[in-house]
Amino acid sequence: MFSEISEYFRTEALPHIWCPGCGIGTVMQALVRAIKTLQLDQNNIVVVSGIGCSSRMTGYLDFNTLHSTHGRALAFATGIKAAKPELDVFVVMGDGDAAAIGGNHFIHAARRNIDLTVIVINNSIYGMTGGQSSPLTPHDKRATTSPYGNLERPLQLLAVAEAAGATYGARATAYHNQLLTKVIIDAYNNPGFSVVEAVSQCPVSYGRRNKFKTPADMLRWQKEHGIMKGRQEIGDEEFLIGEIFRAQAAEYTREYEKLRQRLQGGER
Amino acid sequence: MSNARLMQGNEACAEGALAAGVRFFAGYPITPSTEIAEIMAEKLPLLGGTFIQMEDEIGSMAAVIGASLTGAKALTATSGPGFSLKQENIGFAIATEVPCVVVDVQRAGPSTGLPTSPAQADVMQARWGTHGDHPAIVLSPASVQECYELTVQAFNFAEEFRTAVIMLMDEVIGHLREKVELRENLAVVDRKKPSVPPDRYIPYVNDESRIPAMANFGEGYRYHVTGLTHGENGLPTGKPEVAGKFLQRLTHKLDPYLDRIQRWEEVELSDAELVIVAYGCTARPVREALGAARREGLKVGLFRPITIWPFPSGEIAKLGGRKFLVPEMNSGQLVGEVERIFGPKNIHRYNRIDGELITPGEILEKIREVMA
Ligand SMILES: Cc1ncc(C[n+]2csc(CCOP(=O)(O)OP(=O)(O)O)c2C)c(N)n1
C-alpha cells in the first residue's frame, strides 16, 4: 500500500517521468520499504544520484537528496560521508552512470570501503538518452549504437566491486522485489561499501529491440533467469541473485576518525 | 604580536583557507599546486577536518561540493589540466549554489604544456570554462600576502554569495617565497542559515537579496539539490516562466553586490598618460618598470585588477582618454575586456607565451615605444 510509505515521498514532485512498464519505480519502492523497515531518521538520510532515468529517483524522495552529475554520484557521496559520517548515505545510479562514466569512482569508492549503500539499477541500456548500449548490455543484444548486436562483453560489476575492496555485494531484480528490499537492508547494515545490483526492465528502449513484446515478458524473463545463489550451475543468460559476496575490511570514515583521535592525543 | 613568516604562495593560500575555517579538502596531485594538498593532508585531521586524495579532479570537485552540502567549508586546488577536468562540476556548484573555493595555480598550456612554467592563460577558462550562462568570481593575487588574504576573501565570497569562487594563482606567485603577515583579525563570513522552520523553508527562494539561505544536509531541512534547472522549491522544472526566473536570478545574482566584490589597486594613476593594466605575476615587473619610467619623466601608472571577474570595467572606464598597455603571460585574454570598454584604439598589448617571465626591462621598453 502506498499510504504505508507515502511519508517518504515528495508528492508535489509527481507524476514521475518513467515510462509505463519501467522497473525503476519498483526499485524505488524497495529502497523506501528498506528504509522504513530499518526505521532510519528521515532527516539523517541522504540519497545521492547521478544522471539518467534511474537517477531521477532522488527528486521524488523526501530525504536530503542530491541529483548530481553523470557518473559522479559516488564522488559526491564520498564528500558527504567523509565530511559528516553520521549521515546515512544511499547512492542510486544507472548502469551507464555506475559502470561507464563513473567506473573509476566505483572502483575507488569500493577500494576505500567507505560506508555507502549503493544501488545500481541495471536495465542493460542507456535509458535516458534513448537506448544506446551500456557496459552492462549483454553480448549480441541490440541497442541504437549496436544496431547489429553488441560486440562487446558486459562488465561483471559485482565481481569488480569485490575485487576492488567492497565488503558487500548482492543482486536482485524488479520481479524479486522482496528479495531486493531484503538485500538493501543487508547492504545498509554492512558497515562499508555495499553494492546492490537491481536488475530492472526498460521496455521502451531495450525490450522493444530485443524481442520482448511486453513489460510482463521482461519480468517473466527476470523470474526465470534469476537463480538464487547456492545452485551450482547456471545456464546461458541466467544470473545469480541473493547475497553474492561479503567481506570484512576497515571502513574509511572510521579509520579517518581514528586518525583524528590519535592526533588529538598528541601522537603522529 | 607580529605573525610575520617567510613562506611560499601556495603555503600562504593554505594558511588563508585555514584562517577562513576550511574543514574539508579533496584534491589530486598536480604541479604547481600540490603543496596546498600536502599542507591540508597534514593539518586538517589535526583540526577535526578531513582531507581526501581523490581518484581524479572530477571526483575532487564532486567531493568538495558534497562536503559543503553538509556544512563544511571546502577547498580544492589544481592546475591547468586538472582545472579543465573540474569544469562540469564547477558549473554544478554554481547552478546549485553550493559554496566552495577552487584554486587554479596556472601553468603554461594548452594540454600538458610546459610543466611547469608559468602562464596566465586560464583567465577565460576561469570565467567561461563551464558551459552555460553563469556568474563568476575570480581572484588574482600578485603577492604571497595576497595569497593569504584573498583565500580568506574567496571563502567569504563563496559563503556569502553561495557560489564556487576561483582563486586564480600562477606558478610564479604559488612558488614565490616572501614575507607574509598572517593577520588573525580578518573577517570570516559564514553562509546564511534558514531563519524559518523546515516546513516554511524555500530552498531556492527568489527574494530581493538574490541569495537564498542554505540549510545543511542533516539539519532537518530536507530538500532537493539538482543541476537541472529548478524552481524555488528546488525541484526540476520545464516551465519557461519558472526556468527563466531562476536563470535570471542566478546569472544576475552578483549584480547588486558588485561594489563590494570588485577590488583593484591603483598606482600613480592621477597624472598617468599611460595606464598599464596588469594582474597576478605580471603586475610585479610592471611595478618595477614604473619607477624607472617615472625617472625618465614618463607618466605611467598601474591599474591592477584583483577581482579579474567580475572585471572592474566601471573603474577602468573612468580612465578614458589615456593610452593603455595590457601585458599578459598569454596571447591576450584580459586585454579584450579593456577593448570592450574603449574599442581597440590606443590599447596596446604585450604578450609572452614561451614560459618565460616578462621582465621589468621588457615593460620599460614597451612603455617607451607606446609613449614615443
Ligand atoms: C557528462 C555527460 N555525458 C553524457 C550525458 C548524457 N546522458 C544522460 S543520461 C545518460 C546515460 C543514462 O544511462 P544509465 O546511466 O544506464 O541510466 P538510465 O537512464 O538507463 O537509468 C547519458 C549518456 C550527460 N548528462 N552528461
Side-chain angles (χ1 to χ4, degrees), chain B residues 51-293:
Chain B
F51 165 90
I52 187 166
Q53 181 170 318
M54 291 297 285
E55 48 276 14
D56 59 33
E57 288 86 348
I58 303 174
S60 308
M61 193 63 221
V64 156
I65 297 168
S68 180
L69 280 165
T70 72
K73 288 191 180 173
L75 174 72
T76 184
T78 188
S79 182
F83 193 48
S84 294
L85 286 181
K86 286 183 194 294
Q87 293 301 331
E88 184 192 9
N89 284 339
I90 290 175
F92 185 87
I94 295 170
T96 54
E97 303 179 79
V98 178
C100 55
V101 175
V102 180
V103 178
D104 173 24
V105 187
Q106 296 168 96
R107 63 188 229 184
S111 190
T112 310
L114 285 167
T116 50
S117 299
Q120 297 180 294
D122 301 351
V123 169
M124 284 299 165
Q125 192 187 16
R127 177 64 191 89
W128 291 116
T130 195
H131 59 281
D133 265 323
H134 56 274
I137 302 180
V138 180
L139 305 173
S140 162
S143 65
V144 174
Q145 184 68 38
E146 269 189 351
C147 289
Y148 177 70
E149 289 177 16
L150 288 183
T151 304
V152 177
Q153 191 58 63
F155 272 100
N156 288 352
F157 284 156
E159 292 282 317
E160 178 172 2
F161 302 118
R162 291 191 58 178
T163 193
V165 174
I166 315 283
M167 264 295 276
L168 193 62
M169 303 192 8
D170 55 60
E171 192 277 338
V172 179
I173 303 297
H175 281 164
L176 177 78
R177 279 178 195 279
E178 58 186 7
K179 197 182 90 172
V180 46
E181 183 87 31
L182 298 181
R183 291 175 46 211
E184 280 168 5
N185 55 348
L186 295 170
V188 166
V189 177
D190 294 323
R191 63 191 66 170
K192 183 170 72 182
K193 295 269 205 93
S195 56
V196 294
D199 58 327
R200 297 209 343 255
Y201 179 54
I202 304 171
Y204 290 95
V205 67
N206 194 341
D207 67 13
E208 261 162 29
S209 77
R210 303 190 193 182
I211 316 292
M214 182 171 174
N216 299 323
F217 277 6
E219 293 180 351
Y221 293 79
R222 301 187 302 271
Y223 68 104
H224 190 49
V225 177
T226 176
L228 282 167
T229 298
H230 42 272
E232 290 183 281
N233 62 4
L235 298 174
T237 182
K239 294 192 185 116
E241 64 281 11
V242 181
K245 262 183 83 179
F246 163 71
L247 289 166
Q248 283 296 333
R249 177 179 67 76
L250 185 76
T251 51
H252 293 289
K253 76 177 193 177
L254 302 178
D255 294 1
Y257 304 100
L258 285 187
D259 285 353
R260 280 180 38 221
I261 296 171
Q262 287 176 340
R263 262 135 227 256
W264 63 88
E265 184 194 358
E266 298 182 1
V267 184
E268 303 198 59
L269 277 186
S270 52
D271 65 342
E273 291 160 13
L274 172 67
V275 179
I276 304 184
V277 177
Y279 54 95
C281 66
T282 302
R284 301 174 71 97
V286 170
R287 220 185 273 276
E288 275 201 54
L290 283 189

Side-chain angles (χ1 to χ4, degrees), chain A residues 43 65 67 69 112 256 260, chain B residues 50 55 89 222 224-226:
Chain A
N43 287 324
T65 52
H67 178 220
T69 50
R112 293 184 190 101
Y256 207 92
R260 291 189 197 102
Chain B
T50 309
E55 48 276 14
N89 284 339
R222 301 187 302 271
H224 190 49
V225 177
T226 176

Side-chain angles (χ1 to χ4, degrees), chain A residues 7 10 12-13 42-44 46-47 49 51 56 58-60 62-70 72 74-84 87 101 104-106 108-109 111-112 114 252 256 259-260 263-264 268, chain B residues 23-24 40-42 44-56 58-72 88-89 92 96 216-228 233 235-236:
Chain A
E7 64 193 294
R10 294 187 177 120
E12 72 271 28
Q42 203 164 350
N43 287 324
N44 204 48
V46 179
V47 189
S49 61
I51 294 290
R56 288 299 288 267
T58 43
Y60 310 122
D62 189 7
F63 303 110
N64 304 282
T65 52
L66 173 60
H67 178 220
S68 70
T69 50
H70 191 35
R72 317 301 171 195
L74 284 170
F76 279 85
T78 295
I80 291 171
K81 187 70 185 178
K84 206 168 186 176
L87 294 171
I101 190 165
N104 200 32
H105 305 304
F106 186 85
H108 291 281
R111 177 179 62 80
R112 293 184 190 101
I114 185 165
Y252 178 79
Y256 207 92
L259 168 67
R260 291 189 197 102
L263 294 175
Q264 262 169 22
R268 286 243 167 163
Chain B
R23 283 297 173 273
F24 186 90
M40 290 293 146
E42 188 188 331
L44 280 174
L46 286 162
L47 295 165
T50 309
F51 165 90
I52 187 166
Q53 181 170 318
M54 291 297 285
E55 48 276 14
D56 59 33
I58 303 174
S60 308
M61 193 63 221
V64 156
I65 297 168
S68 180
L69 280 165
T70 72
E88 184 192 9
N89 284 339
F92 185 87
T96 54
N216 299 323
F217 277 6
E219 293 180 351
Y221 293 79
R222 301 187 302 271
Y223 68 104
H224 190 49
V225 177
T226 176
L228 282 167
N233 62 4
L235 298 174

Side-chain angles (χ1 to χ4, degrees), chain A residues 18 24 51-56 69-72 93-99 101 121-130 132 134-135 202, chain B residues 88:
Chain A
W18 301 312
I24 298 171
I51 294 290
C53 297
S54 306
S55 290
R56 288 299 288 267
T69 50
H70 191 35
R72 317 301 171 195
M93 297 175 285
D95 46 308
D97 225 11
I101 190 165
I121 302 182
N122 176 12
N123 57 10
S124 307
I125 204 84
Y126 281 17
M128 175 129 283
T129 41
Q132 300 76 26
S134 108
C202 175
Chain B
E88 184 192 9

